[in-house]
Amino acid sequence: MKNSARDLLSAYVDSLYPIIYINHFDFKVIDEIITDITDNRKIVEYNNGLGIVDFKAKSTMKECDLYNFLNLVKDDGYEHDMFIVLKDVHSQLDKPEIVSLLKYIAERNLYNENYNASVFIISSKLCIPDELEDLITVFDMPLPSVSEIKNIMVNFTKDLEIDVADDVLSEIALSFKGLNEFQVKQILNLAYQDGGYLDFDDKRLILSQKEQLIKKAGLLEMIPVNESIEDIGGLENLKEWLYKKERVFNQLDKAIKFGVDIPKGIMIVGMPGCGKSLAAKATAKLFEIPLVRLDVGRLLGKYIGESEENMRKALKLSEAISPCVLWIDEIEKAFSGVGSSGGASDVTTRLFGQFLTWMQEKENTVFIVATANDISKIPAEFLRKGRFDELFYVDFPNDEERRKIIEIHLKKRHKWNKDLDIISLVKLTSGYNGADLEAIVKDAIESCFIEGREQLTTEDLKSAQKNIKSISSTLEKRIKEIKEAVKDMDLKPATQSEMTFEQGEKPVKTIRDRFEESRKKHEESRKKHEESRWPWTVILKE
């Protein structure tokens, strides 16, 4: 990581890039890289709040403000080849006098053969004044690759003289992907202090630390997940597809080595209230990875370029916490106005382009789940082959699916009993979505409670149904428009063909059986690994 950063930074300096903005928090790491590429240049450092600082000793030499410092060193580039290192000065880059001096130094570095002074601005906050935009190059410190992370872990285990199996190192290294070296070492120390060893269970610790990154940034929302794939009534094709991807995510390192492509994500389009959001949550639960929601509205800023910078940070953050599910709910609203001109539409169009480019080029384990009601409002570029692994269409639940949905909600509230005639209710609820059916169950249970009865009856459910209109009747025109929009599109149905009540159980049982089988194999793999550990490590664990 440091070698690649050093080579790239050295290339920028040799190519006369006048101002290099290093967006990073760890000054010690940056100082080491700058030292490596100094090549006998003079280095002068200014630290906001401290003044002029000795670059090597880090002692304060003289207290002064940034203007006086720049004024003092601006012509030193004629006498020495030099680096001007400015730390945490982002809050002063909006001052005209500071901009003028930086521009003075940059232009001489570019156009005067007798002048050589490169400026490094180092700060964890990116703030680029419009006047200097063409003169500043933003340098992102490359994050360590999986192999580099594995080397960090190997050195860590050697220093502490602990033995860790190679497959454990590979799997945990993959979980660390997206974190910088400082963060990796911190979590390794925490894991070691917690148990005195490293194993598969430390993936949970890594996840909890990644959650902290989300909370501090405030650009993404961590969604708690309690819903499982078994909470979805129907959508058998979608569930079967997710089950296959789960096998990949639970053995990512092995899958990648085998040559399997990392799953990109899915788009789920269709009727409102039919389980699209539930599917996003169940996906994260099934894959055993965190669910984060991207709200594009949260990224919009009031300053020029702020929205784009927020999008860049949000996507970078999602990579840092990967593997994860990145959920974009009602994506047609998130990117509404794309292609229009003027004001907010221009910003949205730029954000959309930025997101598309990231989707196309990403090689990380961020699994995207995009949900949408109205596909006609989604730009065509978004639906192009290769953006998503699959596009699913969710229609209103058929008879068998409605029966399952009703039973799921009854059992979740402990009100299922064998005397209930669910089929008779199913026949009354054609055109109802999952949310409508849940409302019927909730209303019936509430009435039962108010009347002081212990057992729910079929009549309670039918009475509740009479008071709740289906979405297909209340939004009839809107539903027709949605169906018309998807009619000619190549979308895979999330539901299997219409099933009779007698046929209904088989697909669900098959998926459940496979799901449990996968879980058992995963647990067996963990147990075998534990048995193969060095005896003293097992004793230490106990």
Side-chain angles (χ1 to χ4, degrees), residues 233-234 272-274 395-410 413 422 424-445 456 460-461 464-465 468-471:
C274 287
D395 205 344
F396 287 116
N398 59 37
D399 287 359
E400 175 60 19
E401 289 178 322
R402 292 201 302 281
R403 182 181 70 80
K404 291 174 186 172
I405 293 168
I406 293 167
E407 288 183 1
I408 286 170
H409 288 299
L410 285 169
R413 293 165 176 80
I422 303 302
S424 65
L425 179 63
V426 167
K427 291 176 180 177
L428 298 172
T429 54
S430 179
Y432 281 66
N433 65 16
D436 295 333
L437 297 171
E438 183 181 13
I440 290 172
V441 173
K442 288 164 68 174
D443 194 49
I445 293 174
L456 189 72
D460 291 326
L461 292 167
Q465 180 269 328
I468 296 172
K469 290 185 177 181
S470 69
I471 192 170

Side-chain angles (χ1 to χ4, degrees), residues 309-365:
E309 174 59 17
N310 286 339
M311 174 65 91
R312 188 184 73 85
K313 285 181 178 177
L315 296 178
K316 194 172 180 181
L317 182 60
S318 71
E319 292 176 359
I321 61 166
S322 65
C324 68
V325 172
L326 182 65
W327 176 27
I328 311 169
D329 195 19
E330 296 188 336
I331 197 166
E332 74 274 27
K333 293 181 181 177
F335 293 115
S336 62
V338 171
S340 304
S341 58
S345 295
D346 288 344
V347 174
T348 306
T349 300
R350 289 197 297 271
L351 292 181
F352 178 71
Q354 197 176 348
F355 186 72
L356 275 188
T357 302
W358 175 78
M359 278 185 71
Q360 192 67 31
E361 297 177 355
K362 78 182 185 75
E363 295 180 356
N364 49 60
T365 49

Side-chain angles (χ1 to χ4, degrees), residues 66-312:
L66 180 58
Y67 175 78
N68 285 320
F69 170 77
L70 291 174
N71 205 34
L72 184 68
V73 302
K74 71 179 191 300
D75 291 321
D76 285 4
Y78 288 113
E79 300 174 17
H80 313 276
D81 290 352
M82 65 185 300
F83 287 162
I84 300 172
V85 179
L86 309 176
K87 295 180 178 177
D88 278 338
V89 299
H90 54 269
S91 62
Q92 300 191 57
L93 295 180
D94 60 347
K95 296 178 180 177
E97 63 273 21
I98 301 297
V99 170
S100 285
L101 285 170
L102 287 172
K103 203 168 185 178
Y104 175 95
I105 295 168
E107 287 177 344
R108 272 149 189 76
N109 192 60
L110 279 171
Y111 304 123
N112 195 316
E113 291 183 3
N114 300 318
Y115 186 94
N116 194 327
S118 299
V119 178
F120 296 93
I121 300 174
I122 308 168
S123 174
S124 56
K125 187 171 183 179
L126 194 65
C127 183
I128 301 176
D130 293 342
E131 300 91 335
L132 296 176
E133 190 173 341
D134 293 332
L135 296 170
I136 287 179
T137 300
V138 177
F139 180 83
D140 278 321
M141 274 291 291
L143 295 169
S145 65
V146 174
S147 60
E148 288 171 332
I149 292 170
K150 195 171 177 180
N151 287 336
I152 293 170
M153 294 177 67
V154 167
N155 292 333
F156 178 84
T157 55
K158 282 181 179 177
D159 289 344
L160 293 173
E161 297 182 345
I162 59 175
D163 184 76
V164 183
D166 190 65
D167 62 329
V168 178
L169 283 175
S170 298
E171 197 68 33
I172 296 178
L174 205 60
S175 296
F176 272 127
K177 194 170 186 294
L179 299 178
N180 58 45
E181 184 176 348
F182 175 80
Q183 292 163 333
V184 170
K185 288 179 177 178
Q186 271 196 321
I187 297 174
L188 284 173
N189 279 317
L190 187 61
Y192 178 72
Q193 294 299 324
D194 183 52
Y197 59 94
L198 299 175
D199 67 3
F200 285 115
D201 289 337
D202 289 318
K203 289 169 69 175
R204 295 190 182 93
L205 178 64
I206 297 169
L207 172 58
S208 69
Q209 294 304 302
K210 285 183 172 184
E211 287 179 9
Q212 288 293 319
L213 297 178
I214 294 175
K215 291 173 183 175
K216 286 187 282 188
L219 295 172
L220 298 172
E221 181 185 2
M222 177 72 80
I223 305 294
V225 176
N226 300 310
E227 297 84 352
S228 73
I229 198 168
E230 295 307 318
D231 291 321
I232 302 175
L235 308 187
E236 303 302 335
N237 287 340
L238 173 59
K239 288 159 73 173
E240 186 74 21
W241 189 89
L242 289 173
Y243 167 78
K244 291 176 182 175
K245 298 302 177 185
E246 179 256 354
R247 295 291 296 274
V248 176
F249 264 94
N250 275 346
Q251 305 175 73
L252 262 178
D253 186 56
K254 287 182 181 178
I256 292 168
K257 286 178 180 176
F258 192 77
V260 177
D261 284 349
I262 299 173
K264 292 182 178 180
I266 52 172
M267 176 180 278
I268 309 173
V269 180
M271 299 304 161
C274 287
K276 297 189 296 295
S277 298
L278 177 59
K281 295 175 182 178
T283 299
K285 183 81 169 179
L286 182 64
F287 292 176
E288 295 183 337
I289 56 178
L291 175 67
V292 291
R293 180 161 56 195
L294 173 63
D295 180 358
V296 176
R298 185 183 286 196
L299 305 180
L300 299 177
K302 58 183 178 179
Y303 299 113
I304 294 173
E306 187 177 355
S307 302
E308 292 86 340
E309 174 59 17
N310 286 339
M311 174 65 91
R312 188 184 73 85

Side-chain angles (χ1 to χ4, degrees), residues 463-505:
S463 296
Q465 180 269 328
K466 290 175 184 176
N467 297 324
I468 296 172
K469 290 185 177 181
S470 69
I471 192 170
S472 57
S473 62
T474 55
L475 294 176
E476 185 177 359
K477 185 180 178 183
R478 187 82 189 98
I479 297 302
K480 283 182 179 177
E481 290 174 355
I482 293 174
K483 287 192 173 186
E484 193 65 30
V486 302
K487 189 171 65 175
D488 298 323
M489 292 190 178
D490 184 22
L491 303 177
K492 187 173 184 177
T495 299
Q496 290 181 353
S497 57
E498 188 78 27
M499 295 178 287
T500 66
F501 296 114
E502 290 75 24
Q503 294 171 324
E505 290 299 333

